[in-house]
Amino acid sequence: MKLEILSSENIALTFLSIAILLLSAFIWGKIFVAIKSPKVIGEIFGGFVLGASGLYLIVPDFINGIFQGYQEQSKVLNVFYQLGLVFLMFVAGFNTNINFERKNLKIITLLFFGATFIPMVIGYFFIVFFINEYIGVANNDFAFSVVFLVAITVTSIPVISKIFFDIGIIRTRFASIILTTSTIQDLFLWIMLNTAINAVSGDSINIVDNFWTAILTVALFALAKVLSKLLRCIKISINFVDFLTITLAVLFFVIWFLNFLHINLMYSSFLVGFLVKNTIKNNNEFKEKMRGVSDFLFSYFIPIYFALIGMQLNIVNDFSYEMFIFFAILAFLLELFGSYIALFCVKMKNISRINFSITMNARGGPGIVLASVAYYYGIININFFTTLILVTLLSSMIAGYWLKYQYARDNNQFNEF
């Protein structure tokens, strides 16, 4: 078997485009960190300044020459895009931690219900105002409706975790409740998104198939938990390099296999990350080295993924600022309202209800993944894709600045409600 190869000039051009994306994401990531904003926002902005609403407007031939210099370059860059998404979800799964402390169980239950189902029920009646403006080329009303409702309710574990670390409240009761609730919510929403993808991937909408896909997704999560316990019981001497090689092989094999069962690569990657995390939970050496692997992924593949997302944002052509403002206000208020109202069923200070409600609005990485995956499958158009990314960035910044302000006022409020 002989592999088709690119010319040396095309290979060099590919490396140049990757280097520019990586450098731009790095520089703007540092700038945004310096102004106390999430790094991921800067990495997306690093791609944005190179794309259709940035340098492309000034020097289109120059930008095309770098990023579309030969016929297959877009496909090559898409491989890096998909690898970034795979590794982002793998790391998210590896860092997933569900902690049901008895004293927090009631708040977690109420917060999950209020931040998920109340916004969805109310949001359903607003779909009609957006569907004609935002539906994608797949022209699937069911899939669009699912993505719309997920977009209103999704919460970011990675961004919230980073904010908690930066402020110094990661070990507080508040952080434990938020992270556990967000994990459960995101698992539920990934199942919904997978159902939407399944709807547009087939020839027709089959409610029974979608139902079984949802059941299978939940079952796989439980299976990963059980399988990890079995693997911990097997005493095998293996060095970390071999373990990492096997992990990556399993990751790509699972993605291939679960694709036949209509499970998207995003959730497949998350499952493998969760499996690995629980398999090595008692091995401190491997856990520490996996953090090193995570650092590498966050320094290479994942910034490129975010930068490529930024390049696709277009706020110059075919973008409605009125609809963006409408959706941003709607999503923020519904999530705020649902979380706030639900927490009235438990005794706590009003400022604590507000803190929980605003923090659950941080859409971060999952919001970005939702937008990119839904756009890739044609569920939404470029207008809604851009809107979702901007709303994600805005909501994450609001949550970060609010929590920093509240911590400066009274840091005890994150342990005493």
Side-chain angles (χ1 to χ4, degrees), residues 32 35-42 44 154-164 166-167 306 328 332 357-369 388-404:
F32 272 69
I35 60 175
K36 309 300 181 183
S37 293
K39 183 181 179 182
V40 61
I41 299 178
I44 292 174
V154 67
T155 305
S156 170
I157 302 170
V159 168
I160 290 176
S161 298
K162 184 63 167 60
I163 291 172
F164 289 166
D166 291 344
I167 298 175
F306 286 135
F332 188 85
S357 302
I358 291 179
T359 306
M360 291 300 292
N361 254 296
R363 287 161 173 83
I368 295 167
V369 171
L388 290 181
I389 297 296
L390 294 179
V391 170
T392 292
L393 304 185
L394 181 63
S395 63
S396 299
M397 292 180 70
I398 290 173
Y401 285 125
W402 174 264
L403 290 177
K404 288 175 183 177

Side-chain angles (χ1 to χ4, degrees), residues 257-410:
F257 178 73
L258 291 184
N259 181 63
F260 290 105
L261 301 177
H262 304 292
I263 304 296
N264 181 258
L265 64 83
M266 170 195 66
Y267 191 76
S268 301
S269 305
F270 184 92
L271 278 172
V272 175
F274 182 77
L275 172 65
V276 171
K277 181 258 180 73
N278 284 277
T279 300
I280 64 172
K281 65 184 298 184
N282 298 325
N283 191 323
N284 293 327
E285 179 190 353
F286 277 22
K287 284 195 295 184
E288 188 62 32
K289 290 183 177 180
M290 279 301 297
R291 292 189 186 98
V293 173
S294 177
D295 289 341
F296 168 73
L297 297 176
F298 271 108
S299 69
Y300 182 55
F301 286 103
I302 296 174
I304 291 173
Y305 166 70
F306 286 135
L308 286 170
I309 286 176
M311 282 195 72
Q312 298 176 76
L313 298 181
N314 191 339
I315 61 172
V316 177
N317 302 312
D318 301 322
F319 181 73
S320 171
Y321 288 92
E322 293 82 4
M323 294 299 289
F324 158 67
I325 294 172
F326 183 16
F327 179 81
I329 294 175
L330 176 69
F332 188 85
L333 289 181
L334 288 183
E335 187 78 350
L336 185 75
F337 173 77
S339 303
Y340 186 78
I341 291 298
L343 290 177
F344 265 103
C345 296
V346 64
K347 184 178 180 180
M348 67 168 56
K349 299 173 186 176
N350 195 53
I351 189 62
S352 295
R353 293 191 186 94
I354 296 174
N355 288 340
F356 278 116
S357 302
I358 291 179
T359 306
M360 291 300 292
N361 254 296
R363 287 161 173 83
I368 295 167
V369 171
L370 168 68
S372 62
V373 171
Y375 179 60
Y376 177 81
Y377 282 94
I379 300 173
I380 63 175
N381 60 20
I382 187 64
N383 194 348
F384 198 25
F385 168 77
T386 303
T387 295
L388 290 181
I389 297 296
L390 294 179
V391 170
T392 292
L393 304 185
L394 181 63
S395 63
S396 299
M397 292 180 70
I398 290 173
Y401 285 125
W402 174 264
L403 290 177
K404 288 175 183 177
Y405 169 71
Q406 289 300 323
Y407 182 78
R409 287 184 67 248
D410 178 17

Side-chain angles (χ1 to χ4, degrees), residues 14-279:
T14 300
F15 286 137
L16 174 63
S17 62
I18 292 298
I20 292 175
L21 283 168
L22 198 55
L23 186 61
S24 184
F26 172 77
I27 292 172
W28 285 103
K30 288 293 185 182
I31 291 173
F32 272 69
V33 169
I35 60 175
K36 309 300 181 183
S37 293
K39 183 181 179 182
V40 61
I41 299 178
E43 291 174 340
I44 292 174
F45 192 79
F48 176 80
V49 298
L50 299 171
S53 300
L55 288 176
Y56 182 83
L57 290 173
I58 305 172
V59 283
D61 292 338
F62 177 73
I63 295 298
N64 273 334
I66 294 176
F67 296 101
Q68 294 182 328
Y70 58 94
Q71 187 175 359
E72 300 88 357
Q73 189 171 2
S74 293
K75 294 180 180 179
V76 173
L77 291 177
N78 185 56
V79 173
F80 284 90
Y81 179 91
Q82 296 297 335
L83 284 172
L85 173 59
V86 164
F87 289 132
L88 174 64
M89 296 307 297
F90 173 80
V91 173
F94 183 78
N95 286 286
T96 294
N97 183 30
I98 300 179
N99 182 15
F100 291 107
E101 292 186 50
R102 180 173 294 183
K103 65 178 180 179
N104 296 334
L105 191 56
K106 185 175 182 179
I107 298 177
I108 291 170
T109 303
L110 291 171
L111 192 58
F112 170 71
F113 177 83
T116 307
F117 295 107
I118 293 178
M120 280 188 175
V121 171
I122 301 176
Y124 176 80
F125 297 99
F126 286 87
I127 294 175
V128 66
F129 298 105
F130 295 92
I131 191 167
N132 292 331
E133 181 80 20
Y134 284 156
I135 196 167
V137 294
N139 199 32
N140 189 304
D141 290 2
F142 170 78
F144 175 84
S145 299
V146 171
V147 168
F148 181 87
L149 297 177
V150 171
I152 288 176
T153 57
V154 67
T155 305
S156 170
I157 302 170
V159 168
I160 290 176
S161 298
K162 184 63 167 60
I163 291 172
F164 289 166
F165 271 114
D166 291 344
I167 298 175
I169 61 172
I170 189 64
R171 299 188 183 280
T172 62
R173 185 185 175 197
F174 177 84
S176 177
I177 292 172
I178 286 289
L179 292 175
T180 301
T181 306
S182 301
T183 299
I184 300 169
Q185 186 192 57
D186 283 356
L187 287 172
F188 174 76
L189 297 180
W190 293 143
I191 293 171
M192 290 186 62
L193 178 58
N194 196 67
T195 302
I197 293 169
N198 192 32
V200 299
S201 298
D203 296 327
S204 60
I205 298 175
N206 188 317
I207 296 177
V208 175
D209 286 348
N210 285 333
F211 172 77
W212 284 113
T213 297
I215 295 297
L216 176 61
T217 307
V218 176
L220 286 171
F221 183 77
L223 178 63
K225 188 77 172 177
V226 173
L227 184 59
S228 64
K229 289 184 178 180
L230 293 176
L231 290 173
R232 287 200 303 270
C233 296
I234 301 175
K235 304 298 182 182
I236 298 178
S237 178
I238 184 173
N239 63 56
F240 180 74
V241 174
D242 291 344
F243 173 79
L244 184 59
T245 301
I246 294 172
T247 294
L248 293 174
V250 169
L251 171 62
F252 296 131
F253 176 80
V254 169
I255 291 173
W256 168 80
F257 178 73
L258 291 184
N259 181 63
F260 290 105
L261 301 177
H262 304 292
I263 304 296
N264 181 258
L265 64 83
M266 170 195 66
Y267 191 76
S268 301
S269 305
F270 184 92
L271 278 172
V272 175
F274 182 77
L275 172 65
V276 171
K277 181 258 180 73
N278 284 277
T279 300

